[in-house]
């Protein structure tokens, strides 16, 4: 965004890496929507602000309210609330006959038992307004419901969450994908489809993603994704719409009114040339985005996890391979030796991930082959002893 616009930000601490990219900032408690809005208004008093946007799931509603207060383009706060509240999302999609999952909102274990009996096992327990698969678990039968309920309620609420409720939902069986969408003045274009790999069952930890500029699946899933966006009343912005490919056709998991995480925006850029961050900034300022692809290839990312919970003792990639392999676009380490890594259910992506590998290739199949080859050059070791 900084390549095209002067950027000012609201953040929870004094900027560090952001400083070369921003011209001003305000520090605020991001768990307090009123504080976020006050900080945004303070920046607007010092600068001629043309647009407001966020990449943070938990800031969608405050950002929409701030844009409304400042009289700037943006999605309606009500639409953002409907996205944030996954129970509300299900209700709206059902009203508009958009393929989704049966879902019931619960506030107690007894309600969850009754809901599971009504929907039928297997079911998924999911916090109503969280993100990143926190607190999401599949339960196959009544014996597992109590422990599943405890896991889901532990993930519900917290900083930035608008609800402590837990949804009991129909389990959608099939491969998981996301559709990356761009909406301008109520018209949505699906620009890419991301194929996902999910692991650590019965949890839903996302461990890999791939984008192919010529993926034929986009034509199949785009109508469902765009129908969901329209049903929720989203008029502008970039959306990351998650679906499962079931034997009844594509079914919506969630509609996220932001760029997808795990560097999916970068995968789209490497595969198609479309810069979703720049597009999001254009939309926030009311400018029609340019959606003509300038690249035609595939890109994929593999997120690196240890084999078991423990202290990371070593992590590396063969240096010569990394230096001489042109299609290896990025190797990034998130943790170093001595760090504790904790896998689900005790941990989540913030505690479990060690790093990632990102590759490009002419086709999706070749991208997968290259990821596997790169993984062969990675070494991870963990001390799993629990002496303490």
């Amino acid at each position: 965004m900084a390549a095209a616009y002067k950027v000012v930000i609201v953040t929870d601490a004094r900027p560090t890496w952001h400083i070369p990219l921003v011209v001003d900032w305000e520090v605020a408690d991001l768990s307090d929507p009123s504080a976020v809005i006050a900080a945004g208004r303070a920046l607007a008093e010092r600068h001629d602000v043309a647009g407001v946007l966020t990449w943070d799931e938990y800031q969608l509603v405050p950002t929409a309210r701030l844009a409304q207060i400042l009289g700037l383009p943006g999605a309606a706060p009500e639409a953002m609330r409907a996205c944030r509240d996954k129970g509300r999302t299900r209700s709206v999609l059902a009203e508009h006959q958009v393929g989704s999952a049966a879902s019931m909102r619960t506030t107690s274990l007894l309600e969850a038992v009754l809901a599971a009996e009504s929907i039928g096992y297997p079911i998924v327990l999911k916090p109503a307004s969280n993100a990143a698969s926190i607190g999401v678990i599949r339960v196959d039968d009544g014996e597992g419901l109590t422990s599943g309920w405890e896991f889901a309620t532990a993930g519900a609420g917290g900083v930035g969450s608008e609800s402590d409720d837990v949804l009991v939902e129909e389990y959608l069986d099939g491969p998981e994908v996301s559709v990356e969408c761009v909406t301008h003045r109520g018209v949505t274009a699906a620009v890419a489809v991301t194929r996902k790999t999910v692991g650590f069952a019965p949890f839903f930890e996302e461990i890999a993603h791939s984008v192919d500029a010529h993926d034929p699946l986009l034509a199949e899933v785009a109508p469902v994704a765009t129908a969901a966006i329209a049903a929720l009343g989203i008029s502008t912005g970039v959306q990351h719409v998650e679906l499962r490919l079931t034997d009844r056709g594509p079914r919506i998991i969630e509609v996220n009114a932001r760029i997808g995480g795990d560097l999916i925006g970068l995968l789209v850029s490497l595969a198609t040339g479309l810069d979703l961050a720049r597009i999001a900034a254009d939309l926030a300022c009311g400018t029609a985005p340019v959606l003509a692809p300038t690249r035609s290839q595939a890109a994929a990312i593999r997120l690196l996890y240890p084999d078991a919970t423990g202290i990371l003792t070593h992590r590396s990639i063969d240096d010569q391979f990394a230096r001489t392999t042109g299609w290896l676009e990025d190797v990034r380490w998130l943790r170093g030796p001595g760090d504790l890594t904790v896998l689900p259910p005790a941990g989540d992506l913030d505690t479990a991930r060690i790093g990632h590998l990102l590759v490009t290739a002419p086709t999706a199949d070749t991208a997968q082959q290259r990821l596997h080859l790169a993984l062969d050059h990675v070494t991870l070791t963990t001390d799993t002893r629990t002496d303490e």
Side-chain angles (χ1 to χ4, degrees):
M1 288 185 286
Y5 294 92
K6 292 181 179 179
V7 179
V8 296
I9 60 171
V10 177
T11 183
D12 60 355
R14 180 181 172 82
T16 52
W17 61 269
H18 323 70
I19 287 179
L21 305 174
V22 302
V23 298
D24 199 0
W25 63 84
E26 280 282 328
V27 175
D29 178 359
L30 298 184
S31 67
D32 181 354
S34 297
V36 172
I37 292 170
R41 296 183 75 166
L43 287 169
E45 290 175 358
R46 300 199 295 268
H47 303 274
D48 184 15
V49 175
V52 183
L53 76 158
T54 185
W55 55 88
D56 185 343
E57 174 72 17
Y58 300 105
Q59 301 305 318
L60 289 172
V61 176
T63 299
R65 289 177 57 201
L66 178 60
Q68 189 177 68
I69 290 168
L70 298 178
L72 297 173
E78 294 76 15
M80 297 298 94
R81 290 189 189 97
C83 292
R84 288 287 301 129
D85 185 337
K86 297 174 177 60
R88 175 62 179 157
T89 298
R90 295 291 188 210
S91 298
V92 171
L93 296 183
E95 291 169 8
H96 289 80
Q97 298 182 325
V98 179
S100 183
S103 178
M104 299 179 72
R105 185 185 295 270
T106 63
T107 59
S108 68
L109 178 58
L110 176 58
E111 290 181 358
V113 170
L114 297 175
E117 291 176 351
S118 175
I119 292 172
Y121 291 97
I123 53 99
V124 173
L125 298 175
K126 175 189 298 185
S129 64
N130 222 318
S133 298
I134 295 172
V136 183
I137 183 172
R138 171 177 163 163
V139 177
D140 291 330
D141 52 46
E143 293 183 2
L145 188 58
T146 298
S147 60
W149 171 262
E150 292 172 352
F151 177 79
T153 53
V159 175
S161 180
E162 294 93 340
S163 173
D164 294 332
D165 294 350
V166 171
L167 304 180
V168 178
E169 298 196 335
E170 168 192 10
Y171 173 68
L172 299 174
D173 193 14
E176 184 169 337
V177 303
S178 64
V179 185
E180 319 314 324
C181 296
V182 174
T183 302
H184 179 59
R185 296 183 177 176
V187 178
T188 299
V191 299
V193 60
T194 304
R195 297 187 184 242
K196 297 172 173 286
T197 302
V198 180
F200 297 96
F203 314 103
F204 296 86
E205 196 84 6
E206 296 183 353
I207 60 176
H209 308 278
S210 66
V211 175
D212 182 352
H214 292 291
D215 196 327
L217 183 60
L218 182 59
E220 178 183 349
V221 295
V224 181
T226 55
I229 291 167
L232 290 163
I234 301 173
S235 59
T236 188
V238 173
Q239 299 85 36
H240 170 70
V241 184
E242 296 176 328
L243 306 94
R244 282 270 176 136
L245 307 179
T246 75
D247 56 9
R248 295 173 294 155
R251 292 290 185 271
I252 299 290
I253 300 175
E254 296 177 5
V255 177
N256 303 290
R258 53 169 172 79
I259 296 174
D262 293 348
L263 298 185
I264 287 174
L266 180 56
L267 296 183
V268 172
S269 177
L270 290 170
T272 70
L274 296 177
D275 185 342
L276 291 182
R278 168 64 186 273
I279 289 169
D282 288 342
L283 293 167
C285 296
T287 302
V290 177
L291 300 182
T294 58
R295 292 178 183 165
S296 182
Q297 61 178 356
I301 187 171
R302 177 63 181 262
L303 302 153
L304 303 175
Y305 290 77
D307 291 331
T309 292
I311 301 296
L312 181 64
T313 56
H314 179 83
R315 49 97 172 123
S316 66
I317 186 169
D318 179 83
D319 183 62
Q320 182 176 4
F321 173 80
R323 284 188 292 102
T324 60
T325 305
W327 46 258
L328 184 60
E329 300 286 343
D330 191 32
V331 178
R332 191 71 52 88
W333 300 111
L334 303 176
R335 296 181 174 276
D339 289 343
L340 175 65
T341 58
V342 184
L343 296 177
D348 55 29
L349 61 88
D350 290 326
T351 65
R353 290 179 177 175
I354 293 172
H356 68 250
L357 306 174
L358 195 154
V359 306
T360 53
T363 67
D365 287 342
T366 303
Q368 293 305 312
Q369 294 168 7
R370 288 177 173 180
L371 270 184
H372 288 300
L373 178 59
L375 281 170
D376 289 340
H377 290 80
V378 171
T379 302
L380 302 175
T381 58
T382 305
D383 185 350
T384 61
R385 292 175 298 177
T386 56
D387 298 331
E388 295 182 1

